[in-house]
Amino acid sequence: MDSQTVTSSGTLAEYVVHPATWLHKLSDTTDWGIGALIEPMSIALSALRRANLQLGQAFKGIKPDVAFECTGYSMPIHTCLGVLEAGGCLVQVGIGAPVNELSFSELLHRQVDLRFVMRSNSCFEDCIRLVENGVVDPSLLITHVFPIQQASEAFRTLSQPESGAIKVHIVC
């Protein structure tokens, strides 16, 4: 593990201690709720960069040239690999469980590229600039906000698909 790897199981606490190199300054005008979205946004930007996508890029056929798989579980990974165009690229964002039975000979014959994204890979500063310059507005992702006293309700809401929750924030 390197110095950028988070090894704690969460930060739902009043105070959290991290090395200074993990911290990124937000402008005084950036809302903390928006600031909390910089980390997941930086992982998405890292995945886009790993895919080498370009604005206006043309695709070859009916099947996708690039697939992003973000669950880290075997069945969706196999589904993505199955629908990719020959010569396509699967960008695997994280791993949730051991993935067995990948047919490397099939991937070789179809010339499918596998690229992996473990974390934000130095995309924080770029995401902060995108948000602070108004290029990206992640506020629409915040669907629910709960005070810390209602944290249990916040977790219940997040676990119920019918709630429509995308990003649930708990604030102190």
Side-chain angles (χ1 to χ4, degrees):
M1 283 194 221
D2 63 37
S3 62
Q4 295 296 311
T5 302
V6 177
T7 57
S8 66
S9 60
T11 56
L12 189 58
E14 187 172 357
Y15 299 100
V16 178
V17 177
H18 285 305
T21 57
W22 290 8
L23 305 178
H24 301 274
K25 184 161 179 55
L26 300 175
S27 73
D28 292 338
T29 60
T30 300
D31 177 79
W32 286 44
I34 299 301
L37 295 174
I38 298 292
E39 187 270 340
M41 185 177 152
S42 68
I43 294 170
L45 181 58
S46 179
L48 288 170
R49 288 180 174 169
R50 292 283 293 146
N52 291 324
L53 291 177
Q54 304 298 318
L55 284 176
Q57 178 178 340
F59 293 100
K60 296 179 288 192
I62 295 172
K63 292 182 170 187
D65 293 342
V66 178
F68 296 90
E69 202 296 310
C70 304
T71 68
Y73 288 91
S74 187
M75 188 185 331
I77 291 171
H78 288 285
T79 300
C80 285
L81 289 169
V83 300
L84 274 174
E85 185 74 48
C89 174
L90 172 64
V91 180
Q92 181 59 51
V93 184
I95 286 289
V99 177
N100 301 314
E101 302 175 16
L102 275 182
S103 173
F104 283 99
S105 61
E106 179 186 346
L107 299 177
L108 172 76
H109 292 292
R110 293 182 53 227
Q111 297 187 38
V112 171
D113 291 340
L114 294 177
R115 298 185 186 154
F116 297 91
V117 176
M118 184 174 159
R119 57 184 172 270
S120 62
N121 296 312
S122 303
C123 293
F124 270 88
E125 296 300 325
D126 290 339
C127 288
I128 291 169
R129 278 192 297 278
L130 288 169
V131 168
E132 291 182 351
N133 291 326
V135 176
V136 175
D137 179 9
S139 65
L140 297 175
L141 298 175
I142 304 171
T143 55
H144 297 77
V145 178
F146 291 89
I148 190 73
Q149 297 84 354
Q150 295 177 0
S152 294
E153 178 63 24
F155 283 108
R156 269 193 300 281
T157 299
L158 185 59
S159 68
Q160 298 169 344
E162 65 275 6
S163 73
I166 296 174
K167 189 68 172 174
V168 175
H169 281 184
I170 300 171
V171 295
C172 296

